[in-house]
Amino acid sequence: MSSPDGTEPPGRPNGEPAEQEAATRREGAAADQVAADSTEPRIEDLVHEDSGPAPRFGGLAEEHAEHEAAVETVAAPAAPAETGAKLELGAVGHLGDRLFSGLARGSGGVVVLIVAFVGIFLLALAIPALADDESNFLFSRIWLPGGDHPQFGIAALFYTTLVSSIIAMAVAVPIAVGVALYITYYAPRRLARPVASVVDLLAAVPSIIYGLWGIVFFAPVIQPVSHAISKVLGWIPVFKEAANADRGTVFTAGVVLAIMILPVITAISREIFAQTPIAHREGALALGSTKWEMIRMAVLPYGRSGVTSAAMLGLGRALGETVAVMIILSQPNPIAPWDPSIFAGGETFASKIASSAAELDTPAKTGAFIAAGLVLFVVTFIVNSTARIIVARSEPGARRRTRRSRAVKQGAAA
């Protein structure tokens, strides 16, 4: 072959043409491959070899597995080295907290036990007397617990107790709320504190003083009021003038009871009204309300539950008041017909038990009076329970919770 310029290519170093040189290279490569094959061990030789470790196959898979293990080792957080002993936390709470918690729980338990023991005591001693009673205990007005044929009922006692307490509540609650509002929002600061102190001092007057003052001084003063009411409302049996009118009437006892429970209701109502949020009061005034409108829209709704609690507390005292009522009320003739008028005399549960304490000489009589005390205990318990229910329903958000629970019940029923 000639070069592009027409001259012959130069000769090879060994003087051989190009085709021979290519053949020589192929022969050399084949010889090198044969030599390599003779030096590498064969698989059959490795399998049948008795000594040495077993051959490993799948090298790429093993390398991949080793790589994944290394990556996981790097990614996993290293465990913190312990620098010292482990920190052990002690029990939460101090000795004083545990003691106070135990005393508080114990006090609550003691009160519950006292109430339970009183109820059990009254019930245990009243059952034998009630079993021997030959009259209707709930609807009879006869009170002859002695003798071989005891007859006693609580209808008259229950009526007088209930009516005198209602009169006391009707008189005391409006006056107490008015006094509390005056002290809290109307009275000047220099006058509010002395008036509040005087009202609170009324609670410190003993019951016997109220009784003596009521029958000696107050009964003659209020007797014209009784006659005026009888003239206007005498056609109603409750307000008719009694045949043997006396100063010691149920009406007089009820008004004196109102004066006795007035400090309790006033003090609690005053504290509740003073706690009305200032945002509610200032917001009502900012909208243009007068002071009375602010009280009607902000103060009274906020203090409704507190006033209810105060009224129920005063009612409890009115139901159980003993000495003052015993001194004021004139005892009716046992054989005379019963008079339902509030301008007649009568006896309450507490005054009957106190005035007849000298007659507790036999188990039968004692059981009769204890049965009357059991009724008073149950009535007081019902009054307090009712008050708690009213207060719970009067609290802010109570109606919203009631509607929510009612909706949940309706949804569950559907």
Side-chain angles (χ1 to χ4, degrees), residues 82-140:
E82 296 184 359
T83 58
K86 293 182 179 181
L87 180 62
E88 296 182 359
L89 299 177
V92 178
H94 302 307
L95 178 61
D97 295 336
R98 292 193 292 270
L99 289 177
F100 183 78
S101 176
L103 290 175
R105 294 179 181 178
S107 301
V110 167
V111 173
V112 174
L113 289 177
I114 290 175
V115 175
F117 286 154
V118 170
I120 294 173
F121 165 77
L122 295 175
L123 188 62
L125 296 182
I127 288 178
L130 293 175
D132 298 335
D133 187 13
E134 296 184 1
S135 64
N136 194 320
F137 177 71
L138 295 178
F139 300 101
S140 175

Side-chain angles (χ1 to χ4, degrees), residues 3 44 57 82 126 302 318 323 326:
S3 60
E44 292 80 357
F57 303 99
E82 296 184 359
Y302 180 82
V323 178
M326 182 183 65

Side-chain angles (χ1 to χ4, degrees), residues 322 348-358 360 369-370 372-374 376:
T322 306
T348 63
F349 284 108
S351 65
K352 182 65 174 178
I353 296 173
S355 61
S356 305
L360 305 181
F369 286 102
I370 289 179
L374 177 62
L376 180 60

